[in-house]
């Protein structure tokens, strides 16, 4: 409720109190963990939010795991920690290849590798993206970036 009202700082405190309880049902706990990370993100505490997303992955149902990982990767990317973001995105498509985020994660890993100066890794991942998702939403962007990468290598 506090998050919806724009009171993220208050939400963080309240959720942290809830997470300290040991009698919280499992379903309620993972939802609280997710809300905690979202609240941290909304208060501008991006590194803490990223760590919260990563810490909760084992406690989440399979469908929520990739969302938490993807958000953690996005936060690392936004903070300019591109190599770290690439590793997080790789976890998604490597460990959760059947997820709805797998294609985006593969492209995001390639893009993060490009931004961190790892051009050969980036080219390899963009090529792999095009092999696996030739008609994917990001295929044209991948095709546009590959010639640049080959020139820099």
């Amino acid at each position: 409720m506090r998050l919806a009202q724009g009171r993220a700082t208050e939400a963080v405190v309240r959720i942290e109190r809830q997470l300290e309880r040991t009698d919280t049902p499992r379903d309620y706990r993972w939802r609280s963990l997710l809300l905690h990370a979202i609240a941290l993100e909304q208060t501008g505490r991006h590194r803490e939010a990223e760590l919260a997303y990563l810490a909760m992955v084992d406690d989440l149902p399979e469908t929520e795991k990739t969302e938490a990982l993807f958000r953690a990767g996005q936060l690392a990317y936004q903070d300019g920690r591109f190599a770290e973001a690439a590793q997080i995105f790789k976890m998604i498509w490597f460990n959760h290849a059947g997820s709805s985020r797998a294609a985006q994660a593969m492209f995001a890993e390639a893009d993060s590798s490009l931004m961190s100066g790892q051009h050969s890794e980036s080219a390899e991942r963009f090529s792999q993206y095009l092999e696996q998702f030739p008609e994917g939403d990001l295929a044209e962007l991948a095709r546009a970036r590959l010639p640049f990468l080959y020139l820099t290598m």
Side-chain angles (χ1 to χ4, degrees):
M1 183 71 166
R2 284 175 175 76
L3 277 176
Q5 296 171 341
R7 297 164 42 200
T9 303
E10 291 175 41
V12 168
V13 172
R14 185 163 181 119
I15 295 167
E16 285 174 350
R17 259 191 257 132
Q18 178 63 40
L19 289 171
E20 289 172 0
R21 296 182 58 164
T22 58
D23 61 341
T24 306
R26 182 167 166 72
D27 281 356
Y28 189 75
R29 179 164 176 75
W30 74 258
R31 285 185 178 91
S32 296
L33 288 167
L34 199 53
L35 287 173
H36 182 244
I38 292 167
L40 286 169
E41 189 176 343
Q42 287 183 5
T43 61
R45 296 160 61 183
H46 293 167
R47 181 66 175 147
E48 289 177 71
E50 175 191 341
L51 294 173
Y53 282 119
L54 292 173
M56 77 174 80
V57 167
D58 290 337
D59 292 330
L60 296 175
E62 189 61 34
T63 55
E64 301 295 327
K65 284 181 184 186
T66 55
E67 290 303 316
L69 285 170
F70 197 82
R71 194 63 202 128
Q74 287 178 315
L75 289 168
Y77 187 94
Q78 289 170 1
D79 283 349
R81 290 177 282 107
F82 303 116
E84 210 173 299
Q87 289 305 312
I88 295 169
F89 290 127
K90 183 176 185 173
M91 281 191 285
I92 296 169
W93 68 261
F94 191 77
N95 296 328
H96 308 279
S99 80
S100 62
R101 287 285 195 179
Q104 286 178 301
M106 187 179 286
F107 183 91
E109 183 201 351
D111 190 49
S112 299
S113 295
L114 173 63
M115 295 301 290
S116 69
Q118 299 171 349
H119 294 160
S120 60
E121 289 86 353
S122 180
E124 183 179 321
R125 202 60 64 229
F126 279 130
S127 295
Q128 188 176 9
Y129 175 88
L130 289 170
E131 286 173 19
Q132 291 185 19
F133 309 101
E135 303 301 318
D137 294 341
L138 302 165
E140 287 306 312
L141 279 173
R143 283 186 193 91
R145 290 184 180 162
L146 274 173
F148 162 76
L149 286 166
Y150 291 134
L151 287 174
T152 62
M153 292 180 353

